[in-house]
PDB file of all heavy atoms in Angstrom:
ATOM      1  N   PRO Z   5      -1.043  14.533  23.303  1.00 34.00           N
ATOM      2  CA  PRO Z   5      -1.173  14.375  24.681  1.00 34.00           C
ATOM      3  C   PRO Z   5      -1.534  12.903  25.030  1.00 34.00           C
ATOM      4  O   PRO Z   5      -2.397  12.317  24.284  1.00 34.00           O
ATOM      5  CB  PRO Z   5      -2.209  15.289  25.083  1.00 34.00           C
ATOM      6  CG  PRO Z   5      -3.032  15.597  23.881  1.00 34.00           C
ATOM      7  CD  PRO Z   5      -2.072  15.434  22.749  1.00 34.00           C
ATOM      8  N   VAL Z   6      -0.962  12.394  26.129  1.00 32.00           N
ATOM      9  CA  VAL Z   6      -1.373  11.064  26.528  1.00 32.00           C
ATOM     10  C   VAL Z   6      -2.674  11.050  27.275  1.00 32.00           C
ATOM     11  O   VAL Z   6      -2.862  11.865  28.156  1.00 32.00           O
ATOM     12  CB  VAL Z   6      -0.250  10.421  27.390  1.00 32.00           C
ATOM     13  CG1 VAL Z   6      -0.731   9.073  27.905  1.00 32.00           C
ATOM     14  CG2 VAL Z   6       1.050  10.391  26.671  1.00 32.00           C
ATOM     15  N   VAL Z   7      -3.593  10.293  26.824  1.00 31.00           N
ATOM     16  CA  VAL Z   7      -4.912  10.237  27.481  1.00 31.00           C
ATOM     17  C   VAL Z   7      -5.150   8.859  28.025  1.00 31.00           C
ATOM     18  O   VAL Z   7      -5.051   7.813  27.368  1.00 31.00           O
ATOM     19  CB  VAL Z   7      -6.034  10.580  26.488  1.00 31.00           C
ATOM     20  CG1 VAL Z   7      -7.401  10.556  27.108  1.00 31.00           C
ATOM     21  CG2 VAL Z   7      -5.829  11.920  25.756  1.00 31.00           C
ATOM     22  N   GLU Z   8      -5.444   8.820  29.290  1.00 34.00           N
ATOM     23  CA  GLU Z   8      -5.693   7.577  29.968  1.00 34.00           C
ATOM     24  C   GLU Z   8      -4.632   6.531  29.769  1.00 34.00           C
ATOM     25  O   GLU Z   8      -4.845   5.362  29.609  1.00 34.00           O
ATOM     26  CB  GLU Z   8      -7.066   6.957  29.558  1.00 34.00           C
ATOM     27  CG  GLU Z   8      -8.256   7.853  29.850  1.00 34.00           C
ATOM     28  CD  GLU Z   8      -9.572   7.275  29.429  1.00 34.00           C
ATOM     29  OE1 GLU Z   8      -9.522   6.253  28.816  1.00 34.00           O
ATOM     30  OE2 GLU Z   8     -10.612   7.892  29.759  1.00 34.00           O
ATOM     31  N   SER Z   9      -3.400   7.016  29.701  1.00 33.00           N
ATOM     32  CA  SER Z   9      -2.233   6.063  29.584  1.00 33.00           C
ATOM     33  C   SER Z   9      -1.179   6.428  30.571  1.00 33.00           C
ATOM     34  O   SER Z   9      -0.939   7.646  30.910  1.00 33.00           O
ATOM     35  CB  SER Z   9      -1.659   6.171  28.158  1.00 33.00           C
ATOM     36  OG  SER Z   9      -2.649   5.830  27.238  1.00 33.00           O
ATOM     37  N   PRO Z  10      -0.387   5.470  31.028  1.00 34.00           N
ATOM     38  CA  PRO Z  10       0.732   5.773  31.902  1.00 34.00           C
ATOM     39  C   PRO Z  10       1.771   6.593  31.213  1.00 34.00           C
ATOM     40  O   PRO Z  10       1.846   6.620  30.030  1.00 34.00           O
ATOM     41  CB  PRO Z  10       1.252   4.381  32.257  1.00 34.00           C
ATOM     42  CG  PRO Z  10       0.244   3.370  31.798  1.00 34.00           C
ATOM     43  CD  PRO Z  10      -0.543   4.028  30.732  1.00 34.00           C
ATOM     44  N   GLU Z  11       2.553   7.317  31.976  1.00 35.00           N
ATOM     45  CA  GLU Z  11       3.607   8.093  31.397  1.00 35.00           C
ATOM     46  C   GLU Z  11       4.550   7.308  30.583  1.00 35.00           C
ATOM     47  O   GLU Z  11       5.020   6.210  30.990  1.00 35.00           O
ATOM     48  CB  GLU Z  11       4.390   8.861  32.491  1.00 35.00           C
ATOM     49  CG  GLU Z  11       5.402   9.881  31.987  1.00 35.00           C
ATOM     50  CD  GLU Z  11       6.007  10.600  33.110  1.00 35.00           C
ATOM     51  OE1 GLU Z  11       5.637  10.464  34.285  1.00 35.00           O
ATOM     52  OE2 GLU Z  11       6.987  11.306  32.782  1.00 35.00           O
ATOM     53  N   GLY Z  12       4.814   7.758  29.342  1.00 36.00           N
ATOM     54  CA  GLY Z  12       5.756   7.060  28.521  1.00 36.00           C
ATOM     55  C   GLY Z  12       5.195   5.959  27.668  1.00 36.00           C
ATOM     56  O   GLY Z  12       5.812   5.332  26.841  1.00 36.00           O
ATOM     57  N   GLN Z  13       3.893   5.745  27.805  1.00 35.00           N
ATOM     58  CA  GLN Z  13       3.237   4.666  27.066  1.00 35.00           C
ATOM     59  C   GLN Z  13       3.205   4.894  25.525  1.00 35.00           C
ATOM     60  O   GLN Z  13       3.429   3.953  24.833  1.00 35.00           O
ATOM     61  CB  GLN Z  13       1.729   4.526  27.560  1.00 35.00           C
ATOM     62  CG  GLN Z  13       1.050   3.296  26.942  1.00 35.00           C
ATOM     63  CD  GLN Z  13       1.653   1.989  27.440  1.00 35.00           C
ATOM     64  OE1 GLN Z  13       1.830   1.838  28.688  1.00 35.00           O
ATOM     65  NE2 GLN Z  13       1.921   1.055  26.537  1.00 35.00           N
ATOM     66  N   ASP Z  14       3.070   6.103  25.153  1.00 40.00           N
ATOM     67  CA  ASP Z  14       3.068   6.376  23.738  1.00 40.00           C
ATOM     68  C   ASP Z  14       4.378   6.042  23.035  1.00 40.00           C
ATOM     69  O   ASP Z  14       4.394   5.437  21.993  1.00 40.00           O
ATOM     70  CB  ASP Z  14       2.833   7.927  23.442  1.00 40.00           C
ATOM     71  CG  ASP Z  14       1.311   8.246  23.312  1.00 40.00           C
ATOM     72  OD1 ASP Z  14       0.561   7.298  23.550  1.00 40.00           O
ATOM     73  OD2 ASP Z  14       0.952   9.344  22.973  1.00 40.00           O
ATOM     74  N   SER Z  15       5.528   6.360  23.672  1.00 39.00           N
ATOM     75  CA  SER Z  15       6.825   5.994  23.069  1.00 39.00           C
ATOM     76  C   SER Z  15       7.010   4.516  23.065  1.00 39.00           C
ATOM     77  O   SER Z  15       7.568   4.016  22.120  1.00 39.00           O
ATOM     78  CB  SER Z  15       7.930   6.711  23.831  1.00 39.00           C
ATOM     79  OG  SER Z  15       7.918   6.275  25.189  1.00 39.00           O
ATOM     80  N   ILE Z  16       6.554   3.781  24.124  1.00 38.00           N
ATOM     81  CA  ILE Z  16       6.610   2.370  24.108  1.00 38.00           C
ATOM     82  C   ILE Z  16       5.845   1.764  22.962  1.00 38.00           C
ATOM     83  O   ILE Z  16       6.247   0.901  22.217  1.00 38.00           O
ATOM     84  CB  ILE Z  16       6.115   1.781  25.493  1.00 38.00           C
ATOM     85  CG1 ILE Z  16       7.104   2.272  26.570  1.00 38.00           C
ATOM     86  CG2 ILE Z  16       6.173   0.293  25.399  1.00 38.00           C
ATOM     87  CD1 ILE Z  16       6.651   1.943  27.983  1.00 38.00           C
ATOM     88  N   ASP Z  17       4.629   2.276  22.827  1.00 55.00           N
ATOM     89  CA  ASP Z  17       3.810   1.781  21.704  1.00 55.00           C
ATOM     90  C   ASP Z  17       4.414   1.978  20.398  1.00 55.00           C
ATOM     91  O   ASP Z  17       4.300   1.184  19.446  1.00 55.00           O
ATOM     92  CB  ASP Z  17       2.403   2.379  21.784  1.00 55.00           C
ATOM     93  CG  ASP Z  17       1.576   1.887  22.967  1.00 55.00           C
ATOM     94  OD1 ASP Z  17       1.930   0.889  23.552  1.00 55.00           O
ATOM     95  OD2 ASP Z  17       0.595   2.486  23.289  1.00 55.00           O
ATOM     96  N   THR Z  18       5.019   3.139  20.186  1.00 59.00           N
ATOM     97  CA  THR Z  18       5.714   3.539  18.960  1.00 59.00           C
ATOM     98  C   THR Z  18       6.867   2.535  18.660  1.00 59.00           C
ATOM     99  O   THR Z  18       6.972   2.048  17.497  1.00 59.00           O
ATOM    100  CB  THR Z  18       6.243   4.943  19.015  1.00 59.00           C
ATOM    101  OG1 THR Z  18       5.209   5.878  19.177  1.00 59.00           O
ATOM    102  CG2 THR Z  18       6.965   5.312  17.696  1.00 59.00           C
ATOM    103  N   ASP Z  19       7.611   2.257  19.631  1.00 67.00           N
ATOM    104  CA  ASP Z  19       8.719   1.335  19.489  1.00 67.00           C
ATOM    105  C   ASP Z  19       8.231  -0.102  19.111  1.00 67.00           C
ATOM    106  O   ASP Z  19       8.748  -0.770  18.240  1.00 67.00           O
ATOM    107  CB  ASP Z  19       9.621   1.178  20.796  1.00 67.00           C
ATOM    108  CG  ASP Z  19      10.364   2.482  21.121  1.00 67.00           C
ATOM    109  OD1 ASP Z  19      10.531   3.263  20.154  1.00 67.00           O
ATOM    110  OD2 ASP Z  19      10.786   2.694  22.233  1.00 67.00           O
ATOM    111  N   ASN Z  20       7.141  -0.513  19.831  1.00 74.00           N
ATOM    112  CA  ASN Z  20       6.549  -1.799  19.504  1.00 74.00           C
ATOM    113  C   ASN Z  20       5.955  -1.856  18.111  1.00 74.00           C
ATOM    114  O   ASN Z  20       6.088  -2.835  17.443  1.00 74.00           O
ATOM    115  CB  ASN Z  20       5.395  -2.120  20.526  1.00 74.00           C
ATOM    116  CG  ASN Z  20       5.969  -2.432  21.820  1.00 74.00           C
ATOM    117  OD1 ASN Z  20       7.152  -2.789  21.993  1.00 74.00           O
ATOM    118  ND2 ASN Z  20       5.141  -2.298  22.902  1.00 74.00           N
ATOM    119  N   LEU Z  21       5.397  -0.719  17.680  1.00 73.00           N
ATOM    120  CA  LEU Z  21       4.800  -0.652  16.298  1.00 73.00           C
ATOM    121  C   LEU Z  21       5.874  -0.786  15.285  1.00 73.00           C
ATOM    122  O   LEU Z  21       5.793  -1.531  14.326  1.00 73.00           O
ATOM    123  CB  LEU Z  21       4.084   0.622  16.177  1.00 73.00           C
ATOM    124  CG  LEU Z  21       3.414   0.883  14.734  1.00 73.00           C
ATOM    125  CD1 LEU Z  21       2.383  -0.205  14.499  1.00 73.00           C
ATOM    126  CD2 LEU Z  21       2.811   2.253  14.625  1.00 73.00           C
ATOM    127  N   GLU Z  22       7.026  -0.131  15.461  1.00 77.00           N
ATOM    128  CA  GLU Z  22       8.146  -0.200  14.496  1.00 77.00           C
ATOM    129  C   GLU Z  22       8.660  -1.619  14.399  1.00 77.00           C
ATOM    130  O   GLU Z  22       8.947  -2.148  13.281  1.00 77.00           O
ATOM    131  CB  GLU Z  22       9.229   0.791  14.903  1.00 77.00           C
ATOM    132  CG  GLU Z  22       8.856   2.208  14.685  1.00 77.00           C
ATOM    133  CD  GLU Z  22       9.944   3.167  15.177  1.00 77.00           C
ATOM    134  OE1 GLU Z  22      10.938   2.728  15.665  1.00 77.00           O
ATOM    135  OE2 GLU Z  22       9.756   4.372  15.022  1.00 77.00           O
ATOM    136  N   LYS Z  23       8.832  -2.277  15.620  1.00 82.00           N
ATOM    137  CA  LYS Z  23       9.271  -3.662  15.551  1.00 82.00           C
ATOM    138  C   LYS Z  23       8.296  -4.566  14.945  1.00 82.00           C
ATOM    139  O   LYS Z  23       8.633  -5.489  14.156  1.00 82.00           O
ATOM    140  CB  LYS Z  23       9.560  -4.123  17.008  1.00 82.00           C
ATOM    141  CG  LYS Z  23      10.718  -3.455  17.668  1.00 82.00           C
ATOM    142  CD  LYS Z  23      10.830  -3.913  19.163  1.00 82.00           C
ATOM    143  CE  LYS Z  23      12.044  -3.213  19.854  1.00 82.00           C
ATOM    144  NZ  LYS Z  23      12.064  -3.515  21.276  1.00 82.00           N
ATOM    145  N   MET Z  24       7.003  -4.275  15.164  1.00 82.00           N
ATOM    146  CA  MET Z  24       5.941  -5.189  14.648  1.00 82.00           C
ATOM    147  C   MET Z  24       5.947  -5.000  13.099  1.00 82.00           C
ATOM    148  O   MET Z  24       5.743  -5.930  12.337  1.00 82.00           O
ATOM    149  CB  MET Z  24       4.678  -4.824  15.203  1.00 82.00           C
ATOM    150  CG  MET Z  24       3.517  -5.797  14.952  1.00 82.00           C
ATOM    151  SD  MET Z  24       2.518  -5.265  13.566  1.00 82.00           S
ATOM    152  CE  MET Z  24       1.700  -3.880  14.310  1.00 82.00           C
ATOM    153  N   ILE Z  25       6.045  -3.721  12.599  1.00 87.00           N
ATOM    154  CA  ILE Z  25       6.088  -3.495  11.152  1.00 87.00           C
ATOM    155  C   ILE Z  25       7.171  -4.287  10.458  1.00 87.00           C
ATOM    156  O   ILE Z  25       7.001  -4.888   9.465  1.00 87.00           O
ATOM    157  CB  ILE Z  25       6.250  -1.962  10.922  1.00 87.00           C
ATOM    158  CG1 ILE Z  25       4.917  -1.270  11.226  1.00 87.00           C
ATOM    159  CG2 ILE Z  25       6.556  -1.669   9.438  1.00 87.00           C
ATOM    160  CD1 ILE Z  25       5.006   0.222  11.209  1.00 87.00           C
ATOM    161  N   LEU Z  26       8.406  -4.216  11.094  1.00 86.00           N
ATOM    162  CA  LEU Z  26       9.513  -4.952  10.518  1.00 86.00           C
ATOM    163  C   LEU Z  26       9.219  -6.461  10.565  1.00 86.00           C
ATOM    164  O   LEU Z  26       9.697  -7.152   9.655  1.00 86.00           O
ATOM    165  CB  LEU Z  26      10.812  -4.593  11.224  1.00 86.00           C
ATOM    166  CG  LEU Z  26      11.322  -3.186  11.034  1.00 86.00           C
ATOM    167  CD1 LEU Z  26      12.550  -2.928  11.882  1.00 86.00           C
ATOM    168  CD2 LEU Z  26      11.525  -2.827   9.547  1.00 86.00           C
ATOM    169  N   SER Z  27       8.574  -6.948  11.535  1.00 88.00           N
ATOM    170  CA  SER Z  27       8.311  -8.393  11.701  1.00 88.00           C
ATOM    171  C   SER Z  27       7.337  -8.897  10.692  1.00 88.00           C
ATOM    172  O   SER Z  27       7.281 -10.169  10.479  1.00 88.00           O
ATOM    173  CB  SER Z  27       7.803  -8.731  13.093  1.00 88.00           C
ATOM    174  OG  SER Z  27       6.432  -8.308  13.239  1.00 88.00           O
ATOM    175  N   THR Z  28       6.644  -8.048   9.938  1.00 93.00           N
ATOM    176  CA  THR Z  28       5.708  -8.488   8.932  1.00 93.00           C
ATOM    177  C   THR Z  28       6.364  -8.810   7.621  1.00 93.00           C
ATOM    178  O   THR Z  28       5.709  -9.339   6.673  1.00 93.00           O
ATOM    179  CB  THR Z  28       4.577  -7.436   8.674  1.00 93.00           C
ATOM    180  OG1 THR Z  28       5.266  -6.239   8.087  1.00 93.00           O
ATOM    181  CG2 THR Z  28       3.855  -7.023   9.922  1.00 93.00           C
ATOM    182  N   GLY Z  29       7.629  -8.609   7.525  1.00 93.00           N
ATOM    183  CA  GLY Z  29       8.337  -8.905   6.213  1.00 93.00           C
ATOM    184  C   GLY Z  29       8.140  -7.852   5.144  1.00 93.00           C
ATOM    185  O   GLY Z  29       8.442  -8.137   4.012  1.00 93.00           O
ATOM    186  N   ILE Z  30       7.783  -6.643   5.622  1.00 95.00           N
ATOM    187  CA  ILE Z  30       7.444  -5.591   4.634  1.00 95.00           C
ATOM    188  C   ILE Z  30       8.675  -5.244   3.786  1.00 95.00           C
ATOM    189  O   ILE Z  30       8.515  -4.830   2.557  1.00 95.00           O
ATOM    190  CB  ILE Z  30       6.911  -4.358   5.280  1.00 95.00           C
ATOM    191  CG1 ILE Z  30       6.414  -3.323   4.346  1.00 95.00           C
ATOM    192  CG2 ILE Z  30       7.918  -3.733   6.281  1.00 95.00           C
ATOM    193  CD1 ILE Z  30       5.633  -2.116   5.019  1.00 95.00           C
ATOM    194  N   ARG Z  31       9.905  -5.405   4.320  1.00 96.00           N
ATOM    195  CA  ARG Z  31      11.059  -5.035   3.605  1.00 96.00           C
ATOM    196  C   ARG Z  31      11.852  -6.227   2.941  1.00 96.00           C
ATOM    197  O   ARG Z  31      12.876  -6.018   2.339  1.00 96.00           O
ATOM    198  CB  ARG Z  31      12.053  -4.272   4.538  1.00 96.00           C
ATOM    199  CG  ARG Z  31      12.518  -5.195   5.739  1.00 96.00           C
ATOM    200  CD  ARG Z  31      13.486  -4.502   6.597  1.00 96.00           C
ATOM    201  NE  ARG Z  31      13.824  -5.312   7.720  1.00 96.00           N
ATOM    202  CZ  ARG Z  31      14.850  -5.045   8.574  1.00 96.00           C
ATOM    203  NH1 ARG Z  31      15.547  -3.991   8.411  1.00 96.00           N
ATOM    204  NH2 ARG Z  31      15.089  -5.868   9.594  1.00 96.00           N
ATOM    205  N   VAL Z  32      11.287  -7.376   3.020  1.00 96.00           N
ATOM    206  CA  VAL Z  32      11.903  -8.577   2.470  1.00 96.00           C
ATOM    207  C   VAL Z  32      11.462  -8.742   1.034  1.00 96.00           C
ATOM    208  O   VAL Z  32      10.305  -8.969   0.751  1.00 96.00           O
ATOM    209  CB  VAL Z  32      11.600  -9.848   3.264  1.00 96.00           C
ATOM    210  CG1 VAL Z  32      12.234 -11.086   2.633  1.00 96.00           C
ATOM    211  CG2 VAL Z  32      11.988  -9.701   4.754  1.00 96.00           C
ATOM    212  N   GLY Z  33      12.413  -8.637   0.130  1.00 96.00           N
ATOM    213  CA  GLY Z  33      12.152  -8.752  -1.270  1.00 96.00           C
ATOM    214  C   GLY Z  33      12.384 -10.176  -1.818  1.00 96.00           C
ATOM    215  O   GLY Z  33      12.175 -11.123  -1.095  1.00 96.00           O
ATOM    216  N   THR Z  34      12.710 -10.264  -3.105  1.00 97.00           N
ATOM    217  CA  THR Z  34      12.908 -11.559  -3.738  1.00 97.00           C
ATOM    218  C   THR Z  34      14.365 -11.881  -4.034  1.00 97.00           C
ATOM    219  O   THR Z  34      15.252 -10.924  -3.779  1.00 97.00           O
ATOM    220  CB  THR Z  34      12.124 -11.540  -5.038  1.00 97.00           C
ATOM    221  OG1 THR Z  34      12.777 -10.754  -6.017  1.00 97.00           O
ATOM    222  CG2 THR Z  34      10.661 -11.022  -4.823  1.00 97.00           C
TER     223      THR Z  34
END
Side-chain angles (χ1 to χ4, degrees):
V6 178
V7 180
E8 297 179 357
S9 299
E11 186 177 351
Q13 188 67 46
D14 270 8
S15 61
I16 293 172
D17 289 346
T18 300
D19 291 341
N20 287 340
L21 178 62
E22 289 177 359
K23 290 176 183 176
M24 192 264 291
I25 287 171
L26 291 178
S27 74
T28 64
I30 189 174
R31 62 178 176 167
V32 180
T34 74

